Amino acid sequence: MINIPKPLEQTKSIRPWWIYFFRNRAATVSVIAVLITLLSALIGPTLYQRLLPIDQRQVRDGIYQDFDAINGSPSVDHWLGTDYLGRDTLTRLFMALRVSLLVAFVVESLNIGLGCGLGLLAGYFGGWVDMLISRAADMLFAFPGLLLAILVSAVFGSTARELYGGIGRLLLVATALSLVSWPLMARLVRSETLSLKSRDFVMASRGLGATQFRIIFRHILPNVMWLIIVAATVDVASVIVNEATLSLLGLGIEEPAASLGLMIFRAAGKIESHPLQVFIPAVVITTLVIAFSFLGDGLRDALDPRSR
Amino acid sequence: MSRPVLRRALSLIFVLFSVTFLTFIVSYLAPGDPIRNMMGGRQDPVRYVFLRHLYGLDQPWYQQYLTYVSHLLTGNLGYSFKYPERPVWDLIATGVPVSLQLGSLALVISVLVGVPAGIFAAVWKNTWRDTTIMGFMLALYSIPSFVIIPIVWVIDLALYRAGLPSLPVAGWGTPQHVILPVLVLAAANAGFVARIMRNSMLEVMGQDFVRTARAKGAPEYLVLRHHVLRNALLPLLTVLGPATAFLITGAFVVENLFAIPGIGYLSIQAIGQRDYPVIQATTLLLATAVVVMNLITDFAYTLADPRVRFE
Amino acid sequence: MPHNKKWIWMISILTILSMLLAACSAGAPATPAAATGGILRWSLEGINELPALDPPLAGASQSVGVISLVFEGLVRLDGGLNIAPAGAESWDVKDGGKTFIFHIRKDLKFANGDPVTAEDFSYSLNRAFSPDFANGNAGYYLSNIVGSTDVTEGKATTVSGVKVIDPQTLEIDLQQPSVYFLYQLTFPASFAVSKKAIEANPTSWTDTAYGTGPFMVKEWKHNQSVTLLPNPNYWLGKPQIAEIDMPFIQDPATALKLYQTNELDIMGTYNFPTDQISSVSSSPEFKQVNQFFVTYIGFNNAKPPFNDVKVRQAFAKAVDKATLINKVLEGAVVQADTIIPPGMPGFNDAAAKIQELNVAEAKSLLADAGYPDGKDFPKVSFTINNQDPNYAKIAAALQQMWKENLGVDIQVSTEELAKFNDDLTATANNPTDNAALTFYISVWGADYPDPQNFVSQQLRTDIGNNNGHYSNAEFDALVDKADVEPDQTKRLPLYQQAEQIALTEVGWLPLYYGKANLLIRSTVNGLVVTPQGLFPSVDWTKVTVGK
């Protein structure tokens, strides 16, 4: 038998992006942290409640107030203690994580949809489309950071709640926060699209008579995908903080729903007597923010064609 | 003035007008009747009509907007809803210097901390020193100020109880009042600056002219000083705009928790009280700050780097 | 290595820094020379700016507090909350309580030394009723004065019922005889202001306001603080305190921290972080004072299901107030079972039992009303505003109590204060309106210490403040009689009977009385705390701050 040597090309081929990614230790740890958070937000409450017999589960539903255990310390019933209304802190933490991640998901969906869509349009078509979109983005950029989100959620918060309840309020907060996010995404995608548009392979494709639809979706979009993923991941960190800030200022999520910002805000007055009630959500939010930052960095290093 | 500069100035004006329109529309569409709210529990139909007219709220929306803009152009920001007959300008005038002091001090300190941190991290690239510095800077950047502030308070209170020197936990007026909020506000921005600085150092250090300089046998510190630092400081200018926005956002939390009577505090209070004339004024003011800083950034960048054209 | 250049760089940065720091401190007042009475640092919580310093515009309690230090009227309240002379040395009542003749104190002076005569009081009253102050409170408190409404509506330029007889004598005529008119004069609307000061600087005279009160304004730093100096011409003598510094602090928790680090001498007057009471309650500097206000649940009596008295009674008897007050609110307030608060003339402890917790009775009442075990009970919204953090706690706890005790699921709706006020007004105007509230938390604070203010003015059929449209003919007859009864011993029992009816039928479901929680440093001498919490009766000439 003759051993046929493998063709040289195959060994030289570009390794998949995740090899680069998992070489980055911080990014790897961050992925694990984010996955654990996600998982505990999803199944944590149920699991934690099921540990008790069925007739006692109510004390861990995060809404039930145990009037005899207000500001309680950690115990067998309440692993992380109870809050100022006697509600289970661990369950509320899970609830808050759900809110944080749900808001982040909605904001990033809007961010990707709006920012990427408008950025592609502006970059590819130029002219008055570009003009219109860029000016709109400029306008939103002029609002420093959270100001517009604060304004919108303050002004329309109660209307949203009245019409659609707590979930309406949550969606409003997410929409308001996406107003802060999408202009940056649009700007990034636009400039990347501009540079791709004049590249040879796009020119060639156009020369061969490809439709604009095909050029955008087959040639440009796949090449800006990495940028979108990286920008959205990095943005998650600030969305989580922004949501907490809004709730802290009394303009975001409202009781009985839970939010990390709200948990910190409500417990801040008792930081001396019940430090755990501030400490726990504070550690969780900081961990999440750092994890998403590392994750974004890792993804950029792994995905950015220029960094390889 | 050259044409690009003129174009930028025009677009700046356009952006600010859109800002006034957007804030106006949001305020106009807001639920709740400001006059009724102003009158509190004691409602009188005659006074209601009178006040509604006084504040021009009985006009159609486009007329209200036109009146608002024409007043704006003459420097009249209108009257506060919350504090009857107090001109908005009076209310915000006291906040401007406070916010300026807070913001500029925080900016200076964050640059003083962030730039050296970034430089050293880049020089010591991928060593434990780099990891430590950047880890610390990332922590500063990532820990939200509303988490840092309660911790600072507890430490300060403990110091006071122990009879050790402590700082005021809130308020404004003396140099002691300034220290804690400025440090908290500077912390996050320092992390941001350090990151930019490190990246830009690394980028410059990898460029041909630096390699050439090294190849010529120039001592490393001279290479860094003459070739790298000079070029790496340039991108820092681009941070000026975003950093301003960053500091303003940070100031919302810092000013509110430290009860500092700056624009951020005033905005949040006005938003809480639905004092729309004040909201419109502070929003416009902050937006102007951001837009102008961005313009200065671009302009400075063009002057500093001849390769970049002012567009 | 050339170090020198680096140092130059460092030094230049440090110079900038110190310049900025200097700029920061430039605005701060220079440390005043040590004075005998010391400086009193007294926080105004809950505001980021003093809403008003002009007496007719006094509305918010913080404004009333500061205005009462700077200005004074014809009469004032003493420590026993009785009427005592102030600008007027004495007075006569004529025409069966319809005419009041005030004798102005002879050497009464404004803080700047200008003499004060009946003319000044007349000017102040006329000014308060002028259309410029249509938004003020004179009309609300003093519209009983003959001709006052004509001035507010622009039909006349002077109030015909206010007459200057001679520089030392002022006559005020009323439309109706009134027992509480003198109390109404203790509210800032009628306080003496200086025509000279106002005309010299119509828009910003309050920045250095002065009147006939114990203090005068040294500086009003907008959005920051107001500083007061003693009035050297105060009729009781110049106060010993060298200065009162009153910073505006929105968040009471911040004020507490400042107190704890010795940056304040008095805090909590206007708002206290009630969740932190347990951490300071053992301190001798901590004071609690009952206040004349009642936080209650109001019901829309014109709309199902609360138009049925049995449903209201069931809801009232299903509330475990002791748990609510002592556990959920950590005892920061006092449980309320009556409409007239303790300390107010007419307070009746016996009425406290009427709405006592009784789960079994509550259940049967609800069953009688057609909702056994809460079955088929309509979806109702319990509306609160977001201004008071306690309301959210109360609503959450009540939600659970009504669920457990009555089997009723209620929905809590939190509204911005502006929206809440809108909806409450809508309820008052038309209780069957779509925007009308179903039931809500509201609060009433005494304008003056008289039960009329709590009973007749809150629950009489069709009276302006009766937002929930409670109506009972017997109640109306009792209060109508009481309001015009001149004999206090006959008057009070009438209010008490009316109160019993309203409690039995749950016109109000009182939750708690106000309690002022205060911290006063032990170095402050001479302050007496009264139920109104604002030290109205303090003799400021005797107050000092030690070191």
Side-chain angles (χ1 to χ4, degrees):
Chain A
M1 274 277 204
I2 303 159
N3 257 339
I4 302 166
K6 282 181 182 169
L8 209 63
E9 271 74 16
Q10 238 170 3
T11 48
K12 252 178 79 184
S13 78
I14 298 165
R15 274 169 291 187
W17 64 271
W18 47 266
I19 298 276
Y20 289 89
F21 181 81
F22 285 110
R23 248 190 228 160
N24 182 337
R25 228 179 305 155
T28 313
V29 174
S30 300
V31 170
I32 296 169
V34 169
L35 284 179
I36 290 176
T37 317
L38 201 64
L39 203 68
S40 57
L42 285 178
I43 61 165
T46 325
L47 209 66
Y48 178 53
Q49 274 192 51
R50 293 270 165 116
L51 292 173
L52 287 178
I54 193 155
D55 55 324
Q56 290 170 28
R57 280 181 199 161
Q58 196 185 26
V59 300
R60 284 187 185 170
D61 72 357
I63 301 290
Y64 178 79
Q65 307 152 45
D66 186 346
F67 295 128
D68 293 317
I70 281 171
N71 294 316
S73 304
S75 65
V76 183
D77 273 354
H78 307 289
W79 291 1
L80 294 180
T82 52
D83 70 358
Y84 67 101
L85 277 173
R87 299 175 298 195
D88 189 280
T89 301
L90 182 56
T91 311
R92 294 200 58 81
L93 193 68
F94 288 138
M95 290 163 69
L97 279 176
R98 280 184 180 180
V99 166
S100 285
L101 295 172
L102 184 61
V103 168
F105 178 77
V106 176
V107 172
E108 293 320 324
S109 306
L110 285 170
N111 187 14
I112 292 174
L114 270 175
C116 166
L118 294 176
L120 278 174
L121 287 180
Y124 187 81
F125 290 108
W128 64 270
V129 180
D130 182 20
M131 169 80 183
L132 209 68
I133 293 171
S134 296
R135 288 297 87 80
D138 279 352
M139 180 173 79
L140 294 179
F141 260 122
F143 287 90
L146 267 185
L147 185 60
L148 189 59
I150 288 175
L151 191 60
V152 168
S153 43
V155 168
F156 300 111
S158 47
T159 316
R161 188 202 323 99
E162 264 162 53
L163 295 178
Y164 308 108
I167 194 78
R169 179 99 183 186
L170 190 144
L171 287 178
L172 177 80
V173 167
T175 314
L177 288 175
S178 71
L179 285 178
V180 180
S181 299
W182 79 255
L184 183 67
M185 178 71 91
R187 201 175 261 194
L188 289 172
V189 172
R190 173 185 173 269
S191 63
E192 190 69 20
T193 308
L194 267 179
S195 88
L196 284 170
K197 206 171 79 172
S198 54
R199 295 269 285 278
D200 294 345
F201 69 98
V202 177
M203 297 290 209
S205 178
R206 190 180 294 161
L208 290 171
T211 59
Q212 292 185 327
F213 184 84
R214 192 182 157 83
I215 294 174
I216 291 180
F217 282 91
R218 286 301 296 272
H219 298 297
I220 296 188
L221 191 59
N223 284 296
V224 294
M225 214 55 197
W226 69 270
L227 182 72
I228 295 166
I229 292 170
V230 170
T233 313
V234 172
D235 192 53
V236 168
S238 50
V239 167
I240 289 173
V241 174
N242 288 348
E243 181 271 314
T245 308
L246 277 186
S247 302
L248 185 93
L249 294 172
L251 304 169
I253 307 302
E254 285 181 325
E255 304 271 0
S259 147
L260 293 170
L262 212 54
M263 290 177 85
I264 294 173
F265 175 60
R266 295 265 189 238
K270 292 190 180 290
I271 189 166
E272 283 188 276
S273 49
H274 304 91
L276 213 56
Q277 304 293 323
V278 179
F279 194 62
I280 294 167
V283 166
V284 169
I285 194 168
T286 310
T287 313
L288 266 183
V289 169
I290 294 182
F292 274 104
S293 309
F294 276 132
L295 196 59
D297 284 356
L299 281 175
R300 174 177 304 141
D301 292 346
L303 291 174
D304 187 346
R306 284 165 298 206
S307 74
R308 286 204 199 151
Chain B
M1 217 191 287
S2 63
R3 269 198 64 198
V5 175
L6 199 70
R7 243 178 57 193
R8 262 315 279 270
L10 278 178
S11 103
L12 186 147
I13 291 168
F14 167 81
V15 164
L16 289 180
F17 263 99
S18 342
V19 167
T20 62
F21 187 70
L22 200 64
T23 12
F24 172 82
I25 282 298
V26 167
S27 311
Y28 180 79
L29 293 176
D33 184 330
I35 300 295
R36 230 177 230 166
N37 189 34
M38 185 197 283
M39 292 173 69
R42 286 129 202 176
Q43 309 279 333
D44 177 76
V46 179
R47 283 177 211 174
Y48 178 81
V49 171
F50 170 77
L51 285 169
R52 218 175 138 74
H53 182 72
L54 185 75
Y55 282 88
L57 297 177
D58 49 354
Q59 298 172 331
W61 69 268
Y62 52 88
Q63 211 158 342
Q64 284 186 37
Y65 179 66
L66 287 179
T67 317
Y68 166 62
V69 170
S70 65
H71 281 171
L72 201 63
L73 291 176
T74 57
N76 177 356
L77 294 173
Y79 289 86
S80 160
F81 283 161
K82 170 76 183 176
Y83 307 110
E85 300 176 32
R86 179 83 56 75
V88 171
W89 176 245
D90 277 11
L91 280 170
I92 63 173
T94 52
V96 174
V98 174
S99 284
L100 271 180
Q101 282 166 13
L102 182 68
S104 50
L105 274 173
L107 188 65
V108 169
I109 289 178
S110 58
V111 168
L112 281 186
V113 174
V115 167
I119 293 173
F120 285 118
V123 171
W124 291 324
K125 188 192 172 189
N126 294 338
T127 64
W128 64 270
R129 290 191 183 114
D130 175 27
T131 318
T132 316
I133 293 177
M134 288 321 286
F136 183 68
M137 286 295 146
L138 181 76
L140 283 187
Y141 177 70
S142 304
I143 303 176
S145 46
F146 55 78
V147 170
I148 297 184
I149 293 170
I151 297 171
V152 168
W153 277 339
V154 171
I155 295 173
D156 198 60
L157 204 56
L159 284 178
Y160 175 78
R161 293 225 169 102
L164 296 166
S166 62
L167 290 162
V169 290
W172 194 254
T174 67
Q176 290 96 301
H177 282 108
V178 177
I179 299 171
L180 285 183
V182 163
L183 288 183
V184 171
L185 191 55
N189 205 43
F192 180 61
V193 170
R195 235 176 120 108
I196 303 276
M197 195 62 209
R198 180 177 180 271
N199 286 347
S200 105
M201 282 284 288
L202 289 180
E203 195 167 306
V204 178
M205 280 159 86
Q207 280 181 9
D208 292 342
F209 69 94
V210 177
R211 283 191 218 153
T212 316
R214 282 205 188 113
K216 282 194 301 187
E220 184 66 18
Y221 75 87
L222 277 182
V223 174
L224 285 177
R225 227 164 60 101
H226 285 280
H227 299 284
V228 180
L229 206 53
R230 197 165 288 174
N231 289 294
L233 278 170
L234 257 179
L236 206 63
L237 281 175
T238 53
V239 191
L240 221 59
T244 312
F246 197 91
L247 287 172
I248 291 173
T249 309
F252 284 129
V253 174
V254 171
E255 286 184 9
N256 270 278
L257 294 187
F258 281 106
I260 297 169
I263 294 296
Y265 185 56
L266 202 63
S267 313
I268 300 292
Q269 300 302 334
I271 286 172
Q273 292 155 348
R274 301 293 183 276
D275 195 343
Y276 294 112
V278 177
I279 295 173
Q280 287 166 350
T282 54
T283 308
L284 185 61
L285 194 71
L286 294 176
T288 312
V290 170
V291 170
V292 168
M293 281 314 274
N294 282 334
L295 189 70
I296 291 175
T297 302
D298 291 358
F299 204 57
Y301 205 59
T302 332
L303 289 182
D305 188 345
R307 288 172 302 180
V308 180
R309 282 268 195 79
F310 197 82
E311 188 234 338
Chain C
M1 246 206 291
H3 281 285
N4 53 340
K5 265 192 167 174
K6 275 185 192 165
W7 282 112
I8 289 172
W9 185 64
M10 275 303 280
I11 288 167
S12 63
I13 297 281
L14 283 174
T15 320
I16 296 172
L17 252 179
S18 53
M19 269 162 54
L20 279 166
L21 276 170
C24 296
S25 53
T31 321
T36 48
I39 294 173
L40 183 67
R41 301 161 302 171
W42 181 3
S43 56
L44 297 167
E45 301 86 6
I47 50 171
N48 65 323
E49 163 69 327
L50 195 62
L53 241 172
D54 198 350
L57 291 175
S61 56
Q62 294 90 345
S63 277
V64 175
V66 181
I67 287 171
S68 304
L69 289 170
V70 176
F71 300 92
E72 208 172 55
L74 293 160
V75 292
R76 60 179 200 146
L77 291 173
D78 71 6
L81 296 178
N82 301 307
I83 297 295
E89 222 162 16
S90 62
W91 55 91
D92 310 313
V93 187
K94 291 181 178 162
D95 296 342
K98 277 175 83 172
T99 301
F100 285 77
I101 313 273
F102 292 95
H103 305 289
I104 311 297
R105 201 171 285 282
K106 281 215 172 52
D107 42 7
L108 190 65
K109 284 181 183 138
F110 282 117
N112 70 341
D114 292 349
V116 181
T117 63
E119 204 64 62
D120 293 293
F121 282 100
S122 163
Y123 166 77
S124 305
L125 271 167
N126 275 303
R127 178 172 177 267
F129 285 114
S130 72
D132 292 349
F133 293 98
N135 194 31
N137 282 304
Y140 176 76
Y141 286 102
L142 299 165
S143 55
N144 195 7
I145 297 177
V146 173
S148 59
T149 324
D150 293 344
V151 174
T152 311
E153 285 168 4
K155 290 181 205 151
T157 48
T158 51
V159 181
S160 55
V162 176
K163 296 168 192 157
V164 177
I165 309 290
D166 62 56
Q168 244 44 63
T169 318
L170 184 76
E171 180 184 320
I172 299 180
D173 301 333
L174 304 184
Q175 291 165 356
Q176 300 288 325
S178 167
V179 194
Y180 34 82
F181 175 65
L182 287 174
Y183 283 117
Q184 290 174 328
L185 283 182
T186 65
F187 197 82
S190 64
F191 285 4
V193 292
S194 160
K195 186 178 182 181
K196 192 172 115 187
I198 294 166
E199 286 181 349
N201 202 347
T203 51
S204 57
W205 70 277
T206 48
D207 285 357
T208 51
Y210 60 85
T212 56
F215 295 92
M216 56 199 216
V217 177
K218 177 191 179 194
E219 191 186 13
W220 179 2
K221 268 197 218 165
H222 293 288
N223 303 313
Q224 200 163 340
S225 65
V226 62
T227 311
L228 306 181
L229 290 177
N231 169 3
N233 295 304
Y234 188 46
W235 60 275
L236 274 167
K238 182 184 172 181
Q240 295 177 51
I241 292 181
E243 197 172 289
I244 305 184
D245 286 341
M246 309 182 94
F248 315 143
I249 303 172
Q250 182 76 41
D251 183 0
T254 308
L256 178 60
K257 279 186 215 86
L258 288 171
Y259 183 89
Q260 286 171 328
T261 50
N262 195 14
E263 299 272 321
L264 288 172
D265 296 310
I266 305 177
M267 72 79 42
T269 329
Y270 301 96
N271 203 343
F272 196 93
T274 47
D275 57 345
Q276 294 180 56
I277 282 180
S278 51
S279 66
V280 294
S281 54
S282 57
S283 160
E285 297 179 347
F286 182 66
K287 309 263 189 313
Q288 283 189 310
V289 197
N290 291 335
Q291 283 183 310
F292 287 158
F293 64 77
V294 179
T295 302
Y296 65 92
I297 297 174
F299 298 92
N300 185 336
N301 285 254
K303 234 178 165 178
F306 294 116
N307 56 351
D308 185 342
V309 63
K310 288 198 178 102
V311 176
R312 297 200 301 270
Q313 286 169 334
F315 269 65
K317 285 177 177 289
V319 173
D320 180 358
K321 280 188 205 167
T323 297
L324 189 69
I325 304 305
N326 300 328
K327 291 187 176 157
V328 177
L329 299 182
E330 301 178 62
V333 289
V334 185
Q335 179 175 337
D337 302 299
T338 62
I339 295 171
I340 304 171
M344 172 85 78
F347 168 68
N348 180 15
D349 208 11
K353 288 205 167 49
I354 298 174
Q355 293 184 359
E356 240 176 7
L357 171 74
N358 188 333
V359 177
E361 203 186 329
K363 277 191 170 129
S364 76
L365 278 164
L366 196 68
D368 287 353
Y371 311 106
D373 295 322
K375 242 184 84 182
D376 302 327
F377 197 82
K379 244 186 143 57
V380 288
S381 275
F382 183 49
T383 312
I384 57 174
N385 72 57
N386 65 352
Q387 282 310 96
D388 190 328
N390 279 343
Y391 290 178
K393 293 190 195 180
I394 295 168
L398 288 176
Q399 192 176 27
Q400 186 163 318
M401 286 175 188
W402 285 324
K403 168 91 183 133
E404 282 181 353
N405 296 343
L406 297 177
V408 171
D409 266 318
I410 62 142
Q411 200 197 334
V412 176
S413 156
T414 313
E415 290 184 345
E416 315 291 342
L417 188 62
K419 179 79 170 58
F420 181 83
N421 285 339
D422 262 16
D423 289 352
L424 199 59
T425 312
T427 316
N429 291 340
N430 178 9
T432 51
D433 187 288
N434 270 339
L437 304 171
T438 311
F439 63 143
Y440 50 88
I441 297 185
S442 188
V443 57
W444 181 253
D447 292 317
Y448 40 86
D450 191 282
Q452 180 261 0
N453 193 233
F454 269 87
V455 184
S456 335
Q457 287 201 336
Q458 298 304 311
L459 289 159
R460 198 203 176 283
T461 306
D462 291 336
I463 198 112
N465 289 319
N466 188 354
N467 298 318
H469 295 262
Y470 170 76
S471 178
N472 178 299
E474 201 186 337
F475 176 96
D476 292 352
L478 283 164
V479 296
D480 286 351
K481 211 170 141 199
D483 286 354
V484 292
E485 171 62 57
D487 184 353
Q488 191 80 342
T489 53
K490 285 184 194 152
R491 213 173 137 245
L492 296 181
L494 291 173
Y495 283 127
Q496 289 178 347
Q497 285 174 42
E499 183 191 29
Q500 284 192 11
I501 295 171
L503 281 173
T504 311
E505 295 198 329
V506 199
W508 271 15
L509 166 44
L511 292 174
Y512 56 87
Y513 305 121
K515 195 194 239 180
N517 300 288
L518 289 168
L519 281 162
I520 303 179
R521 208 164 287 288
S522 51
T523 50
V524 180
N525 303 310
L527 276 185
V528 187
V529 183
T530 74
Q532 285 203 323
L534 302 176
F535 323 111
S537 62
V538 168
D539 182 352
W540 282 100
T541 60
K542 302 218 165 54
V543 177
T544 56
V545 183
K547 263 289 145 225

